[in-house]
Amino acid sequence: MMRTVPVASMSPVYEQPEFLVIPLEIRLDKRLCPEVIACIDDELAVYSKAYRSAFARIDHGEKNLNQLTKDLQDEYRLKSRAANSIVRDAKARHQAGLELARAQARDLRASILRKKKRMKRLQKEVEAMSKKAASNRLNDNEPSNYRKQKHDLWRLGQLIPRLEAKLKRWKKDIENRHVRLCFGTKKLFKAQYHLEENNLSSHEEWKEMFIRHRNRMMYLCGKNDEKNGNQLCHLIRMEDGSWQIGVLPVLKSEKGQDRIITGPVNITHTPGLELLSQVFDGYEADQPMKQAISVRILRRKKGYYVQFFLYLPKQDGWNTSSFEGVIGLDFNADHIALCETDRKGNIIYARRIGFPGLGRKNHNYDQGIDQMRTAIKKITAEARSKGKDLIIEDLDFSAKKSDLQKNKYYNRMISQLAYSQYTQAVKRRCFKDNVDLKIVDPAYTSKKAEETVCREHGINVHLGAACIIARRGLGLF
């Protein structure tokens, strides 16, 4: 029997942000814009060197970012906008490194405590076993178990001091606000000591590859009062509907020689064209866009790519409501269980949407994530067409991942569950499709489903959990 939950105990409705940052990636064609690629290629090395210098100074305690920006301009002959982009990005990366170090130290501290508890337990068991062995009272199966316990105890005795030394070093780095970062990746840096294993003929070949990989990225921050949203790199919409990219060199040039280098780009991705049309809608070429568009330029094996981070504003009103019912989703390691209900919580239909790529037999993480995003896109389109809100769980297992102690099936589920990717994909797709989203407490959904809807309707526990999630979104049980 369903009962009404007091309004105070209901989970709040998820509030969509005022805007969403959407990355639009464009590949530069060497045949269409060779001058643009040549300009980028010439300046990547200088930009990367200035970036490493800024990061090192911030890591050593530099707090006056304005002075740091001026010093970069003078030392590397950078434009003020380029130097400002370098300082801002280096500061953000340094702060992210500190946050990551704190999270890792927290997880390592919890791991050390668990291993110490296990070591104490093993010591008691080994002592009891040694007494039985001394009096020759061990059974046939106990000697092998005794040897294994002694080996585990020795291994923990070797491991715990190393982990404690590592934690001590991390604590010291956090106190000194020191971030250990290898530009060009640590893996590629260590390849110089294993040339044959990495298919390298000489140290010079490795050095050339390492430097090219290290100097592969450039970040240019935008400003809302600048033309096209970014002074140094921007998109230009032509009168015939085609697009061009404009690049202004980041290095200072002689007076009268500074010019924007342009080249045509092919944008065939339909969602990308729709997004550009929304961003540039009503924009006059001789006026600022009133929107800052940051740009990241990447050099990969297949060529040069430019990422434009566009701001998509929130639409007015919602196309869905919970008046006629809702659609509940239960996310699992290799599938989504979907349940549509009416406004009283009665099941209309339920189905399972699988991701073969995330299954244990045919595991392919990237393929599975793409399958999941495609499924979410179809689900939000269905919710929009039916005018029903979407209900999901508040999934966050970051704390539980650091304490995997229940059993191997639970540990595998927690480790393989791409809950962060799933939650972000649902939020972004609901924002784009203007679907109202509610996030509810995930506690005991499967247990309540087994006790109620699974027996009543003859469905499995995952579909039943989706029904319970939907009912929680309605405020019903």
Side-chain angles (χ1 to χ4, degrees), residues 299-451:
R299 180 171 59 193
R300 298 173 180 158
K301 291 183 178 179
K302 295 184 178 180
Y304 290 82
Y305 295 79
V306 183
Q307 297 175 343
F308 294 91
F309 297 93
L310 307 175
Y311 287 81
L312 184 64
K314 183 173 68 173
Q315 303 180 39
D316 296 332
W318 298 104
N319 292 329
T320 62
S321 70
S322 57
F323 182 75
E324 294 295 334
V326 295
I327 296 177
L329 302 180
D330 178 54
F331 180 61
N332 299 277
D334 59 349
H335 72 277
I336 291 177
L338 180 147
C339 180
E340 180 184 353
T341 67
D342 59 15
R343 60 182 176 181
K344 295 183 179 179
N346 300 317
I347 298 177
I348 297 178
Y349 80 95
R351 74 174 188 271
R352 179 186 185 275
I353 306 172
F355 318 131
L358 294 180
R360 274 189 287 170
K361 293 184 178 179
N362 302 317
H363 189 75
N364 187 326
Y365 184 79
D366 294 335
Q367 181 185 24
I369 293 299
D370 290 340
Q371 294 169 351
M372 179 188 68
R373 290 173 178 166
T374 302
I376 291 172
K377 184 177 180 180
K378 294 179 180 178
I379 291 171
T380 53
E382 179 182 348
R384 181 173 182 174
S385 64
K386 295 183 177 180
K388 293 186 175 182
D389 293 345
L390 209 59
I391 316 296
I392 64 172
E393 299 171 286
D394 185 12
L395 298 175
D396 187 3
F397 300 117
S398 55
K400 293 184 178 180
K401 275 189 175 181
S402 62
D403 189 18
L404 299 178
Q405 292 291 313
K406 275 195 173 182
N407 53 64
K408 63 179 182 180
Y409 303 106
Y410 177 81
N411 295 345
R412 185 185 297 118
M413 185 272 292
I414 292 294
S415 300
Q416 292 184 353
L417 198 64
Y419 62 89
S420 179
Q421 296 270 14
Y422 162 75
T423 304
Q424 291 299 322
V426 173
K427 289 180 179 179
R428 294 174 73 87
R429 182 48 59 180
C430 286
F431 185 96
K432 293 179 181 179
D433 292 345
N434 208 23
V435 173
D436 199 2
L437 177 66
K438 296 180 180 179
I439 301 179
V440 299
D441 186 5
Y444 305 109
T445 52
S446 299
K447 184 177 181 180
K448 292 182 180 297
E450 289 179 342
E451 296 173 352

Side-chain angles (χ1 to χ4, degrees), residues 66-85:
N66 293 329
Q67 184 61 42
L68 178 57
T69 303
K70 293 179 181 178
D71 293 344
L72 292 179
Q73 289 179 246
D74 297 336
E75 185 176 356
Y76 298 98
R77 297 184 61 254
L78 295 169
K79 289 187 173 71
S80 59
R81 174 56 58 194
N84 188 39
S85 300

Side-chain angles (χ1 to χ4, degrees), residues 200 220 228 298 301 383 416 433 474:
L200 297 172
L220 305 171
N228 299 293
L298 302 170
K301 291 183 178 179
Q416 292 184 353
D433 292 345
L474 290 169

